Amino acid sequence: MKKNILIDVERLKYPKSGIANVCISLIRGIDEKVCHFNYTLFGPEKNIPATPSDFKIINWKFWHKKIKINTSDFSLIHVTHQLSDYFHSKKSNQKKVVTLHDLNFLHDKSSARKIEKSRKLVQKNIGNADAIVCISDFVKNDFLKNKHLFTLKKDVKVETIYNGLIFPENEKFSSEKKYEFIDRKFILNIGVLFPKKNQEVLLNLIIDNERELVLITSSAKSEYKEKLLEKVKNLGLEKRVHILENVENDEKYFLLQHCESYCHPSLAEGFGIPPVEAMFFGKPIFLSNLTSLPEIGGDLAFYFNDFTSASMKKVYDEGIAKFNADNENYIAKLKERASKFSYKSMAESYERLYENLLN
């Protein structure tokens, strides 16, 4: 008889977020496998993709924080985010898996009060976990280094399972929108406008040349956005910096298809989905050499070792020249590397973990 597993995909409340994409990838991955378990998904039903397997759904409601769901029918609970507000407790005969995306709150200059608040919430999620899954080796090593901050089960498993993506079925996209920059050389970046994403340094790459910068972001307002816009104005780059908000996937793929390069100078990244998407399209990727990004780009990416204008321009100019000199070979290798971060690989790894815990 198949055992029942509950997967917390509540973060689908934010359908354009990276974690939502990972949840959808996991759902599709287990749907396409010969499943060894009966799966139930906890999340907003309207945002959960329909599947041939017809998984059971517990529709998320705001009051579930106070009125807990009865989980007695489940042999295993998978919490897909370490800051989840749900499933902090479990039955003695249940197993629990928690996916740890990052411990950024320890490193982003948060106040002591905020750090402690985040630590306590992570503790509620991982304290009784039988397995903690880190989304990169960087996150795993960071967790092990800070393990003393948490009280854990003695026999807890800690392992890495990379996020998996669903790539589009084709690489040619069209758009009804008339982007004035589309036939010019433009650098693309995707991510929330936030200090740790460090987008402002990309302005260094379009000063004293004709390149343009396109930032795909959310509509969330932030002090950092205002700071960035002020810098753009002071540099006289208003006509060459384009901020696009809440872009749909097909539109994003269209822009990836046409960009000269993808640049991701992030200061803190647990995984980094956009660089993988850019690799799928065979685009040269320029990344910071910090946190998990070298794991993603490997020896195919070009890395910013610092963010001074001269250094960044040197890395970029040399990288573009190297890429263009061996274009076909680079494109083939980038696509091959992207395929290693597929939703199928992720789903197989998670189901293997479920089996190991339940057998």
Side-chain angles (χ1 to χ4, degrees):
M1 186 175 176
K2 289 183 178 181
K3 293 181 178 178
N4 299 322
I5 290 179
L6 176 65
I7 302 179
D8 170 12
V9 293
E10 174 263 351
R11 289 290 160 141
L12 285 173
K13 283 192 307 187
Y14 312 106
K16 294 186 188 300
S17 67
I19 294 174
N21 284 335
V22 174
C23 289
I24 289 171
S25 295
L26 179 59
I27 292 167
R28 179 166 170 181
I30 59 177
D31 175 53
E32 291 183 5
K33 286 177 58 61
V34 177
C35 291
H36 298 95
F37 305 103
N38 295 318
Y39 288 103
T40 297
L41 308 173
F42 168 73
E45 189 168 12
K46 65 179 182 178
N47 294 339
I48 295 176
T51 59
S53 299
D54 196 26
F55 296 133
K56 293 180 181 177
I57 294 173
I58 298 174
N59 189 24
W60 169 85
K61 298 293 183 184
F62 71 92
W63 39 258
H64 279 133
K65 283 186 183 181
K66 299 293 184 183
I67 304 175
K68 305 303 180 185
I69 292 167
N70 182 359
T71 65
S72 57
D73 290 338
F74 300 102
S75 299
L76 184 147
I77 300 169
H78 178 187
V79 175
T80 58
H81 192 269
Q82 77 276 2
L83 297 175
S84 174
D85 288 309
Y86 312 91
F87 313 112
H88 294 160
S89 62
K90 66 168 191 171
K91 311 293 182 186
S92 59
N93 61 338
Q94 284 176 328
K95 300 294 183 180
K96 183 178 178 183
V97 174
V98 178
T99 300
L100 181 70
H101 293 262
D102 59 62
L103 291 175
N104 284 347
F105 65 89
L106 295 177
H107 311 296
D108 61 7
K109 299 180 182 178
S110 295
S111 66
R113 182 179 178 184
K114 185 177 179 182
I115 289 173
E116 181 57 13
K117 182 179 179 181
S118 297
R119 189 202 66 80
K120 284 182 176 178
L121 185 51
V122 174
Q123 173 64 47
K124 286 180 180 179
N125 282 295
I126 69 173
N128 59 358
D130 300 279
I132 299 170
V133 173
C134 303
I135 63 172
S136 65
D137 285 336
F138 167 78
V139 173
K140 179 180 176 181
N141 293 334
D142 190 34
F143 172 68
L144 293 175
K145 189 165 53 177
N146 292 286
K147 190 178 173 182
H148 63 281
L149 298 175
F150 306 98
T151 303
L152 306 169
K153 290 185 67 175
K154 288 183 179 180
D155 58 347
V156 63
K157 296 175 183 285
V158 181
E159 63 178 81
T160 299
I161 296 178
Y162 287 115
N163 285 339
L165 281 69
I166 299 171
F167 298 111
E169 294 182 1
N170 59 63
E171 296 171 52
K172 298 295 180 185
F173 290 84
S174 60
S175 173
E176 294 180 359
K177 295 183 179 179
K178 303 298 181 186
Y179 295 110
E180 58 189 88
F181 56 79
I182 204 67
D183 293 322
R184 304 173 201 154
K185 289 183 178 179
F186 69 92
I187 293 167
L188 185 64
N189 172 272
I190 302 170
V192 178
L193 289 175
F194 201 67
K196 72 176 182 180
K197 297 296 185 180
N198 201 29
Q199 288 101 333
E200 67 179 293
V201 301
L202 295 176
L203 299 176
N204 292 332
L205 299 177
I206 66 169
I207 296 172
D208 300 327
N209 59 54
E210 295 182 352
R211 287 190 175 94
E212 309 206 2
L213 175 62
V214 177
L215 305 174
I216 296 178
T217 185
S218 70
S219 58
K221 292 184 178 180
S222 67
E223 290 182 17
Y224 184 72
K225 181 178 180 180
E226 298 306 313
K227 176 184 173 185
L228 175 66
L229 291 173
E230 184 66 24
K231 190 170 182 178
V232 168
K233 183 179 178 181
N234 291 339
L235 291 169
L237 297 172
E238 295 100 321
K239 292 184 178 180
R240 293 200 285 126
V241 175
H242 313 274
I243 298 178
L244 309 179
E245 297 181 340
N246 301 324
V247 171
E248 297 296 330
N249 269 340
D250 281 1
E251 205 69 24
K252 176 183 69 175
Y253 296 144
F254 174 76
L255 294 166
L256 277 164
Q257 174 189 317
H258 284 88
C259 68
E260 179 185 42
S261 67
Y262 181 82
C263 290
H264 204 80
S266 181
L267 303 175
E269 205 71 56
F271 179 74
I273 289 174
V276 179
E277 293 178 318
M279 287 194 289
F280 172 79
F281 282 89
K283 295 296 179 175
I285 57 172
F286 293 81
L287 311 174
S288 76
N289 64 346
L290 303 172
T291 60
S292 67
L293 291 172
E295 282 181 70
I296 305 304
D299 60 1
L300 294 176
F302 304 103
Y303 294 97
F304 300 121
N305 297 313
D306 65 62
F307 302 113
T308 60
S309 181
S311 175
M312 289 185 70
K313 285 180 178 178
K314 185 173 186 291
V315 169
Y316 192 85
D317 290 342
E318 290 179 356
I320 285 291
K322 190 174 180 181
F323 177 86
N324 289 337
D326 195 13
N327 185 289
E328 289 186 10
N329 185 42
Y330 259 110
I331 290 173
K333 287 184 175 179
L334 284 163
K335 290 180 179 179
E336 181 183 358
R337 185 167 184 83
S339 70
K340 295 180 180 179
F341 301 103
S342 77
Y343 70 97
K344 291 182 180 180
S345 298
M346 178 180 67
E348 286 173 4
S349 296
Y350 272 112
E351 190 158 88
R352 196 179 307 121
L353 174 61
Y354 302 157
E355 287 178 319
N356 290 339
L357 289 173
L358 292 174
N359 289 340

